[in-house]
Amino acid sequence: MTADRPRAPRRDATENREALLEAARRILNEDPEASLDAIAAGAGLSRRAVYGHFPSRNTLVAELAERGAARVAAAIERATAEDPALDVALLGRVVWDEVEHVRAMTSTIVHGPLRERIGAALGPIHGRLVADARRAGEQGGRTDLSPETVARLIEGAAFTVLDESLRSPLSRRDGRRLVVLAGLGALGLSWREAGELLDRNAALLMEDR
Amino acid sequence: MTADRPRAPRRDATENREALLEAARRILNEDPEASLDAIAAGAGLSRRAVYGHFPSRNTLVAELAERGAARVAAAIERATAEDPALDVALLGRVVWDEVEHVRAMTSTIVHGPLRERIGAALGPIHGRLVADARRAGEQGGRTDLSPETVARLIEGAAFTVLDESLRSPLSRRDGRRLVVLAGLGALGLSWREAGELLDRNAALLMEDR
DNA sequence: CATATCTTGCACACAGGTGTGCAAGATCGA
DNA sequence: TCGATCTTGCACACCTGTGTGCAAGATATG
């Protein structure tokens, strides 16, 4: 009873599959409602060929979203800070760097029904933020709102910067700074405190990784 | 050359027109992409009849959006404060009260192509926020971001509360408080400063007008 | 009541999209 | 080279939605 796996997929086939995901990333980022036709053409394939790789349009987009979410999740694990405020800032910077070049798609995916699909992969971010907000409260920080609410506000602030950067483009550096400042504001820091934190940790906005 | 106006519109006709707008408000607020069919049914009319009152679906929605925008614009003119931070808080409260019961529709209209259509009517809000941010900066407030950017962050914070309240409903009072706190945070106040401001102006969150 | 006005229900054209079947051709790979 | 694998192009069914034409019926209103 050898499983009927007639042969390994042809090399060009797997290449085309990747090309489709790549084209989807590029095209959906310009028009998040682009048709399957447009995506296929972007990959140099016909619409019909797509169905040889993905059973449906949604499957394609979902896989794309999950890959992105996994990438972000992996990135945040490599960056942690003791101080809650610093951790929030760090999270902002890291996530921004991962997402900045796929802003438009990110925005629609997060606002749309695929949100749940990537929720699992992005859960860790939320968890970290809640924990940071709670610890900050214990150390003299915001106690007028629940940690859960504070976390949502921080996430929302990040999305605000995201949406804002779609209307008037931001340099990578300005985006980083803005997303961090907005997040710290939601955490309850005054603008001076946020600025001082950034001054004390200048590396936070630097180009390295 | 008397204009050929054969007669005034029948009373039930104007009633139906209002009923359509009313149904649109109600239904688009539950499903912002609801079809014209659903809206017509909600008004107790047939889809066909809608075209006797509005030349297109978009016309209907646009009129609805413009009415709402005008309502909000009128409301903010009735509330002004000298202190910039207080003015931001006041704006937050007033706008929230006007918008809270049409959150879902507001969200999609503001994120969608109708944004420009109501931009004119909502421009005053943006203008007030920019002026507040500028004056705040002159009085020891945030100078690390341009007034324009600060205004955008405040608006974004309000939308965050809006979106958030769609996932886990907020009481009118909690919504007010949250939208004000989030706005003041974006303005650069620490959570304590924001709290003190609210304490000094307890009437801000009260039920009256 | 008589009539202009409104509403209805149907059919239709149109647009844009997804997903499938199938034959013919291109292309990898052993 | 030769066969399995992929791609293509076409046709097709299907869906959901908008907007229009038209005849027939309902209803306000002078």
Side-chain angles (χ1 to χ4, degrees), chain A residues 99-138:
Chain A
V99 155
E100 174 253 357
H101 61 114
V102 279
R103 293 190 294 267
M105 199 181 39
T106 303
S107 177
T108 47
I109 284 183
V110 172
H111 284 99
L114 255 52
R115 185 185 191 121
E116 290 187 11
R117 189 99 177 214
I118 60 170
L122 261 38
I125 297 182
H126 183 66
R128 282 259 298 267
L129 288 177
V130 172
D132 288 336
R134 190 179 39 72
R135 285 198 298 140
E138 292 163 358

Short mmCIF file of all heavy atoms in Angstrom, two decimals, chain A residues 99-138:
data_model
loop_
_atom_site.label_atom_id
_atom_site.label_comp_id
_atom_site.label_asym_id
_atom_site.label_seq_id
_atom_site.Cartn_x
_atom_site.Cartn_y
_atom_site.Cartn_z
N VAL A 99 6.28 45.23 9.00
CA VAL A 99 4.98 45.43 8.38
C VAL A 99 4.98 46.64 7.45
O VAL A 99 4.17 46.74 6.53
CB VAL A 99 3.92 45.62 9.50
CG1 VAL A 99 2.74 46.39 9.01
CG2 VAL A 99 3.50 44.25 10.03
N GLU A 100 5.94 47.47 7.63
CA GLU A 100 5.96 48.76 6.95
C GLU A 100 5.83 48.63 5.44
O GLU A 100 5.16 49.44 4.79
CB GLU A 100 7.25 49.47 7.36
CG GLU A 100 7.53 50.76 6.66
CD GLU A 100 8.65 50.60 5.67
OE1 GLU A 100 9.25 49.51 5.55
OE2 GLU A 100 8.90 51.58 4.96
N HIS A 101 6.42 47.60 4.88
CA HIS A 101 6.42 47.47 3.42
C HIS A 101 5.20 46.74 2.89
O HIS A 101 5.07 46.53 1.68
CB HIS A 101 7.70 46.77 2.95
CG HIS A 101 7.85 45.39 3.49
ND1 HIS A 101 7.82 44.28 2.70
CD2 HIS A 101 8.01 44.95 4.76
CE1 HIS A 101 7.97 43.21 3.45
NE2 HIS A 101 8.09 43.59 4.69
N VAL A 102 4.33 46.31 3.76
CA VAL A 102 3.08 45.70 3.31
C VAL A 102 1.92 46.35 4.05
O VAL A 102 0.97 45.68 4.46
CB VAL A 102 3.07 44.17 3.54
CG1 VAL A 102 3.82 43.48 2.43
CG2 VAL A 102 3.64 43.82 4.88
N ARG A 103 2.02 47.65 4.17
CA ARG A 103 1.05 48.39 4.97
C ARG A 103 -0.38 48.19 4.51
O ARG A 103 -1.26 47.84 5.30
CB ARG A 103 1.37 49.89 4.92
CG ARG A 103 2.66 50.26 5.58
CD ARG A 103 2.76 51.76 5.70
NE ARG A 103 2.85 52.38 4.39
CZ ARG A 103 3.99 52.68 3.79
NH1 ARG A 103 5.11 52.41 4.37
NH2 ARG A 103 3.97 53.27 2.61
N ALA A 104 -0.61 48.42 3.21
CA ALA A 104 -1.98 48.41 2.72
C ALA A 104 -2.64 47.05 2.95
O ALA A 104 -3.76 46.97 3.47
CB ALA A 104 -2.01 48.76 1.24
N MET A 105 -1.92 46.00 2.60
CA MET A 105 -2.49 44.67 2.77
C MET A 105 -2.73 44.40 4.24
O MET A 105 -3.78 43.88 4.63
CB MET A 105 -1.54 43.63 2.19
CG MET A 105 -2.21 42.31 1.90
SD MET A 105 -1.03 41.12 1.25
CE MET A 105 0.41 41.48 2.23
N THR A 106 -1.76 44.74 5.05
CA THR A 106 -1.91 44.54 6.48
C THR A 106 -3.18 45.22 7.00
O THR A 106 -3.96 44.62 7.74
CB THR A 106 -0.70 45.13 7.22
OG1 THR A 106 0.49 44.53 6.72
CG2 THR A 106 -0.81 44.87 8.72
N SER A 107 -3.35 46.45 6.56
CA SER A 107 -4.51 47.19 7.04
C SER A 107 -5.81 46.46 6.72
O SER A 107 -6.66 46.26 7.58
CB SER A 107 -4.51 48.58 6.41
OG SER A 107 -5.66 49.30 6.81
N THR A 108 -5.96 46.03 5.45
CA THR A 108 -7.24 45.39 5.09
C THR A 108 -7.38 44.02 5.73
O THR A 108 -8.46 43.63 6.11
CB THR A 108 -7.38 45.26 3.57
OG1 THR A 108 -6.17 44.74 3.05
CG2 THR A 108 -7.69 46.60 2.95
N ILE A 109 -6.27 43.30 5.83
CA ILE A 109 -6.38 41.98 6.45
C ILE A 109 -6.79 42.12 7.91
O ILE A 109 -7.66 41.40 8.40
CB ILE A 109 -5.04 41.22 6.34
CG1 ILE A 109 -4.87 40.70 4.91
CG2 ILE A 109 -5.00 40.06 7.31
CD1 ILE A 109 -3.63 39.88 4.70
N VAL A 110 -6.20 43.08 8.58
CA VAL A 110 -6.50 43.23 10.00
C VAL A 110 -7.92 43.75 10.21
O VAL A 110 -8.57 43.41 11.19
CB VAL A 110 -5.47 44.15 10.67
CG1 VAL A 110 -5.89 44.48 12.08
CG2 VAL A 110 -4.12 43.47 10.68
N HIS A 111 -8.39 44.56 9.26
CA HIS A 111 -9.75 45.07 9.41
C HIS A 111 -10.78 44.08 8.90
O HIS A 111 -11.97 44.26 9.14
CB HIS A 111 -9.90 46.40 8.67
CG HIS A 111 -9.28 47.56 9.39
ND1 HIS A 111 -8.04 48.06 9.07
CD2 HIS A 111 -9.71 48.30 10.44
CE1 HIS A 111 -7.76 49.07 9.88
NE2 HIS A 111 -8.73 49.24 10.72
N GLY A 112 -10.35 43.06 8.16
CA GLY A 112 -11.30 42.16 7.52
C GLY A 112 -11.47 40.84 8.23
O GLY A 112 -11.03 40.68 9.37
N PRO A 113 -12.11 39.91 7.55
CA PRO A 113 -12.44 38.62 8.17
C PRO A 113 -11.24 37.72 8.39
O PRO A 113 -11.33 36.75 9.14
CB PRO A 113 -13.42 38.00 7.17
CG PRO A 113 -13.11 38.66 5.87
CD PRO A 113 -12.63 40.03 6.20
N LEU A 114 -10.12 38.04 7.75
CA LEU A 114 -8.94 37.21 7.95
C LEU A 114 -8.26 37.51 9.27
O LEU A 114 -7.29 36.84 9.66
CB LEU A 114 -7.95 37.41 6.80
CG LEU A 114 -7.88 36.27 5.78
CD1 LEU A 114 -9.28 35.96 5.28
CD2 LEU A 114 -6.99 36.63 4.63
N ARG A 115 -8.78 38.50 9.97
CA ARG A 115 -8.18 38.89 11.24
C ARG A 115 -8.06 37.69 12.18
O ARG A 115 -7.02 37.47 12.80
CB ARG A 115 -9.01 39.98 11.90
CG ARG A 115 -8.36 40.50 13.16
CD ARG A 115 -9.25 41.51 13.88
NE ARG A 115 -8.52 42.17 14.93
CZ ARG A 115 -8.33 43.48 15.01
NH1 ARG A 115 -8.84 44.26 14.11
NH2 ARG A 115 -7.64 44.00 15.99
N GLU A 116 -9.13 36.92 12.24
CA GLU A 116 -9.11 35.77 13.15
C GLU A 116 -8.07 34.74 12.73
O GLU A 116 -7.41 34.13 13.55
CB GLU A 116 -10.49 35.11 13.18
CG GLU A 116 -11.53 35.97 13.89
CD GLU A 116 -12.83 35.23 14.05
OE1 GLU A 116 -12.84 34.02 13.81
OE2 GLU A 116 -13.83 35.87 14.41
N ARG A 117 -7.96 34.58 11.41
CA ARG A 117 -7.04 33.59 10.87
C ARG A 117 -5.61 33.85 11.33
O ARG A 117 -4.86 32.91 11.56
CB ARG A 117 -7.11 33.66 9.34
CG ARG A 117 -6.38 32.54 8.67
CD ARG A 117 -7.35 31.47 8.25
NE ARG A 117 -6.68 30.41 7.52
CZ ARG A 117 -7.24 29.74 6.54
NH1 ARG A 117 -8.45 30.05 6.17
NH2 ARG A 117 -6.61 28.77 5.94
N ILE A 118 -5.24 35.12 11.43
CA ILE A 118 -3.88 35.42 11.85
C ILE A 118 -3.83 35.76 13.33
O ILE A 118 -2.76 35.96 13.89
CB ILE A 118 -3.29 36.57 11.03
CG1 ILE A 118 -4.13 37.82 11.23
CG2 ILE A 118 -3.19 36.22 9.58
CD1 ILE A 118 -3.49 39.05 10.65
N GLY A 119 -5.00 35.81 13.94
CA GLY A 119 -5.04 36.17 15.35
C GLY A 119 -4.16 35.27 16.20
O GLY A 119 -3.45 35.74 17.09
N ALA A 120 -4.19 33.98 15.89
CA ALA A 120 -3.39 33.04 16.68
C ALA A 120 -1.91 33.39 16.61
O ALA A 120 -1.23 33.47 17.62
CB ALA A 120 -3.62 31.62 16.16
N ALA A 121 -1.45 33.65 15.41
CA ALA A 121 -0.03 33.95 15.24
C ALA A 121 0.34 35.29 15.87
O ALA A 121 1.47 35.49 16.31
CB ALA A 121 0.33 33.95 13.76
N LEU A 122 -0.62 36.20 15.90
CA LEU A 122 -0.33 37.52 16.44
C LEU A 122 -0.69 37.64 17.91
O LEU A 122 -0.40 38.67 18.55
CB LEU A 122 -1.06 38.58 15.62
CG LEU A 122 -0.22 39.29 14.56
CD1 LEU A 122 0.74 38.34 13.90
CD2 LEU A 122 -1.08 39.97 13.53
N GLY A 123 -1.31 36.61 18.43
CA GLY A 123 -1.68 36.64 19.84
C GLY A 123 -0.54 37.04 20.76
O GLY A 123 -0.75 37.84 21.68
N PRO A 124 0.65 36.51 20.54
CA PRO A 124 1.77 36.85 21.42
C PRO A 124 1.98 38.36 21.57
O PRO A 124 2.31 38.83 22.66
CB PRO A 124 2.95 36.19 20.72
CG PRO A 124 2.37 35.03 20.01
CD PRO A 124 0.99 35.46 19.58
N ILE A 125 1.79 39.10 20.51
CA ILE A 125 1.96 40.55 20.63
C ILE A 125 0.97 41.10 21.64
O ILE A 125 1.33 41.82 22.56
CB ILE A 125 1.73 41.23 19.27
CG1 ILE A 125 2.77 40.76 18.26
CG2 ILE A 125 1.80 42.75 19.43
CD1 ILE A 125 2.64 41.45 16.92
N HIS A 126 -0.28 40.72 21.44
CA HIS A 126 -1.30 41.20 22.36
C HIS A 126 -0.95 40.81 23.79
O HIS A 126 -1.04 41.62 24.71
CB HIS A 126 -2.66 40.64 21.95
CG HIS A 126 -3.79 41.14 22.79
ND1 HIS A 126 -4.18 42.46 22.78
CD2 HIS A 126 -4.59 40.51 23.68
CE1 HIS A 126 -5.19 42.61 23.63
NE2 HIS A 126 -5.46 41.45 24.18
N GLY A 127 -0.55 39.56 23.96
CA GLY A 127 -0.19 39.11 25.30
C GLY A 127 0.93 39.93 25.91
O GLY A 127 0.84 40.34 27.07
N ARG A 128 1.94 40.17 25.11
CA ARG A 128 3.05 40.98 25.63
C ARG A 128 2.56 42.37 26.03
O ARG A 128 2.95 42.90 27.08
CB ARG A 128 4.13 41.14 24.54
CG ARG A 128 5.02 39.95 24.36
CD ARG A 128 6.39 40.11 25.02
NE ARG A 128 7.22 41.19 24.54
CZ ARG A 128 8.14 41.08 23.59
NH1 ARG A 128 8.33 39.93 22.98
NH2 ARG A 128 8.89 42.10 23.25
N LEU A 129 1.71 42.96 25.21
CA LEU A 129 1.23 44.31 25.52
C LEU A 129 0.41 44.32 26.80
O LEU A 129 0.54 45.23 27.63
CB LEU A 129 0.41 44.85 24.35
CG LEU A 129 1.20 45.23 23.09
CD1 LEU A 129 0.28 45.67 21.98
CD2 LEU A 129 2.20 46.34 23.42
N VAL A 130 -0.45 43.33 26.94
CA VAL A 130 -1.26 43.27 28.16
C VAL A 130 -0.35 43.16 29.38
O VAL A 130 -0.52 43.87 30.38
CB VAL A 130 -2.25 42.09 28.11
CG1 VAL A 130 -2.94 41.92 29.46
CG2 VAL A 130 -3.28 42.29 27.02
N ALA A 131 0.63 42.26 29.28
CA ALA A 131 1.55 42.08 30.40
C ALA A 131 2.31 43.38 30.69
O ALA A 131 2.48 43.78 31.85
CB ALA A 131 2.53 40.95 30.10
N ASP A 132 2.75 44.04 29.64
CA ASP A 132 3.47 45.30 29.83
C ASP A 132 2.58 46.34 30.51
O ASP A 132 3.02 47.04 31.43
CB ASP A 132 3.95 45.85 28.48
CG ASP A 132 5.11 45.03 27.92
OD1 ASP A 132 5.81 44.38 28.71
OD2 ASP A 132 5.31 45.05 26.69
N ALA A 133 1.36 46.43 30.06
CA ALA A 133 0.44 47.42 30.65
C ALA A 133 0.20 47.10 32.12
O ALA A 133 0.16 48.00 32.96
CB ALA A 133 -0.88 47.43 29.87
N ARG A 134 0.06 45.82 32.42
CA ARG A 134 -0.17 45.44 33.81
C ARG A 134 1.05 45.78 34.67
O ARG A 134 0.94 46.42 35.72
CB ARG A 134 -0.46 43.94 33.88
CG ARG A 134 -0.95 43.47 35.24
CD ARG A 134 -1.26 41.98 35.25
NE ARG A 134 -0.32 41.19 34.48
CZ ARG A 134 0.94 40.94 34.86
NH1 ARG A 134 1.40 41.43 36.00
NH2 ARG A 134 1.72 40.19 34.10
N ARG A 135 2.23 45.39 34.20
CA ARG A 135 3.43 45.67 34.97
C ARG A 135 3.66 47.18 35.10
O ARG A 135 4.09 47.66 36.15
CB ARG A 135 4.64 45.01 34.30
CG ARG A 135 4.67 43.50 34.53
CD ARG A 135 6.06 42.95 34.26
NE ARG A 135 6.46 43.17 32.88
CZ ARG A 135 7.68 43.52 32.51
NH1 ARG A 135 8.62 43.73 33.42
NH2 ARG A 135 7.97 43.67 31.24
N ALA A 136 3.38 47.90 34.04
CA ALA A 136 3.55 49.36 34.11
C ALA A 136 2.65 49.92 35.21
O ALA A 136 3.07 50.77 36.00
CB ALA A 136 3.20 50.00 32.77
N GLY A 137 1.43 49.42 35.28
CA GLY A 137 0.52 49.89 36.31
C GLY A 137 1.06 49.63 37.71
O GLY A 137 0.92 50.47 38.61
N GLU A 138 1.71 48.49 37.86
CA GLU A 138 2.27 48.17 39.18
C GLU A 138 3.46 49.05 39.52
O GLU A 138 3.84 49.16 40.69
CB GLU A 138 2.70 46.69 39.19
CG GLU A 138 1.52 45.72 39.10
CD GLU A 138 1.97 44.32 38.71
OE1 GLU A 138 3.18 44.15 38.48
OE2 GLU A 138 1.10 43.43 38.60
#
